[in-house]
Amino acid sequence: MVDVARHAGVSIKTVSRVINNEPNVQRQLAERVLASVAELGFRRNHLARTLRSGQSTATIGLIIEDLANPFYSTIAAVAAEVARQHETLLITASSEEDPQREQQLLRDLCSRRVDGLLIVPAGYDHAFLRPEVEMGTPVVFLDRPAGGLLADTVLLDNRGGAQAGVRALLERGHQRIGILLDSVSVYTMRERVGGAQEALASAGIAYDERLVADGVHDPEGAAAAVARMLTAPTPPTAFFSLNNRITVGVLQELWRRKSRVEVVGFDDFELSHLMPQRFTVVAYDTRQMARTAADLLFQRIAGERSWPRTVTLPTALVERGLS
């Protein structure tokens, strides 16, 4: 502003009044200031302005795991839609499932004075955010709950969905069900394993660790696990996969073997209806999850001060694949 004032031959106060569209500025002076603004390429520093005035920064932050995953990219897209409706800019960052990186990113966003935070957590301890929350920065967690922090949360019925998926296989006569999962260190995996165990227990069937493959992180790993399990002396007659990437690997290996072993997988995925084998998915509305979380965040930003709440969204079994 000092440069613009010097270039236009006016006071800094006149420059401030012009760029803030204040009234009672002589037209000739306003034109000189605007000409200098254009020539010098002046851009107003919105963050500095909001720090001085105490106003909203009109920005929110979103921390997700992996932008390449359609689940997280859908969350980001919906959050951006809701932010745009509130004339707010969304800043998105990926924690890459690294709790330390997540904490660094969240501290950075707080230092930028965002108006609120949407978080798909990677870590287990979010107590470091308590001072920010107490100072008025609203936080909403989605897909997984926070650790060590009372906050609004939007979850899926992971346990109920897993129960329904395993129950469907049991009703079709299967008793040896292979279960493939990523890691029980992840909240969603623990809930889904718990639901599977409860469904088996209700049917009087023991949870057999020999039918469980842990540490399956991608389709290739899932295919290898299926190959091992099918060559065992007493192989499973059906598979329950706990996320969509695992399901893809399971189906690939079964197709390669021309096997018709039944599959139920948690999470739907793009083009699942075109897979060459019939299977079942535990489906849910990712857009609804993201919109619910974003709407809740903007309610908090607008002044809603009720006790933090948890919203649990339903799942449903859906048939996929070509008949």
Side-chain angles (χ1 to χ4, degrees), residues 25-318:
V25 179
Q26 294 180 18
R27 182 175 178 179
Q28 181 182 8
L29 290 179
E31 289 176 349
R32 281 163 53 189
V33 169
L34 292 174
S36 295
V37 164
E39 185 172 341
L40 297 176
F42 172 82
R43 295 291 183 273
R44 182 166 54 187
N45 187 326
H46 288 280
L47 180 58
R49 180 170 178 266
T50 54
L51 287 174
R52 288 191 62 184
S53 66
Q55 295 177 350
S56 163
T57 61
T59 59
I60 61 171
L62 169 65
I63 300 295
I64 54 179
E65 304 304 321
D66 178 9
L67 273 171
N69 187 314
F71 174 74
Y72 297 115
S73 60
T74 298
I75 289 175
V78 174
E81 289 174 11
V82 176
R84 186 162 55 248
Q85 292 167 5
H86 290 269
E87 298 183 345
T88 295
L89 179 69
L90 176 71
I91 303 173
T92 303
S94 172
S95 68
E96 300 172 5
E97 288 282 4
D98 182 344
Q100 290 187 332
R101 176 173 167 79
E102 174 189 70
Q103 185 171 150
Q104 177 185 350
L105 289 170
L106 286 169
R107 290 188 185 280
D108 184 47
L109 287 169
C110 290
S111 72
R112 295 171 186 271
R113 300 296 189 268
V114 293
D115 296 333
L117 292 165
L118 291 168
I119 306 170
V120 179
Y124 314 107
D125 184 5
H126 298 90
F128 67 92
L129 284 174
R130 189 173 293 118
E132 299 294 337
V133 173
E134 291 174 348
M135 287 189 293
T137 302
V139 178
V140 178
F141 289 80
L142 59 160
D143 191 46
R144 309 167 192 175
L149 182 70
L150 186 62
D152 293 312
T153 309
V154 181
L155 303 173
L156 295 173
D157 184 10
N158 290 286
R159 189 171 290 261
Q163 287 176 345
V166 172
R167 193 181 303 121
L169 291 173
L170 293 169
E171 290 171 353
R172 296 169 194 168
H174 299 287
Q175 294 192 1
R176 295 186 57 77
I177 301 172
I179 299 175
L180 296 91
L181 63 138
D182 187 339
S183 171
V184 290
S185 66
V186 178
Y187 166 82
T188 51
M189 292 291 115
R190 290 197 303 275
E191 287 293 294
R192 294 171 189 181
V193 169
Q197 290 173 327
E198 290 168 3
L200 291 169
S202 296
I205 299 174
Y207 182 74
D208 190 346
E209 294 284 354
R210 293 171 297 180
L211 293 173
V212 179
D214 195 355
V216 181
H217 304 300
D218 50 40
E220 293 74 22
V226 168
R228 288 194 303 271
M229 297 169 83
L230 288 178
T231 54
T234 51
T237 61
F239 288 102
F240 180 47
S241 53
L242 271 60
N243 68 31
N244 51 12
R245 300 190 75 203
I246 295 174
T247 302
V248 169
V250 172
L251 293 171
Q252 286 175 339
E253 182 61 21
L254 293 179
W255 180 252
R256 189 184 71 81
R257 292 170 172 267
K258 301 296 187 290
S259 172
R260 306 304 293 180
V261 172
E262 288 198 72
V263 178
V264 174
F266 215 109
D267 304 332
D268 204 353
F269 55 93
E270 191 175 10
L271 303 181
S272 61
H273 61 291
L274 296 179
M275 297 298 283
Q277 176 176 331
R278 294 293 289 177
F279 66 105
T280 305
V281 296
V282 181
Y284 49 87
D285 191 340
T286 306
R287 294 184 63 85
Q288 181 187 9
M289 170 188 277
R291 181 167 291 279
T292 300
D295 286 343
L296 184 52
L297 181 65
F298 278 102
Q299 290 171 22
R300 295 298 190 188
I301 292 172
E304 170 64 46
R305 291 294 179 263
S306 61
W307 192 257
R309 58 187 183 270
T310 297
V311 179
T312 303
L313 301 178
T315 60
L317 297 182
V318 180

Side-chain angles (χ1 to χ4, degrees), residues 10-25:
V10 299
S11 68
I12 294 178
K13 184 172 182 59
T14 298
V15 174
S16 176
R17 291 173 65 189
V18 171
I19 64 176
N20 286 297
N21 295 316
E22 294 182 12
N24 303 321
V25 179

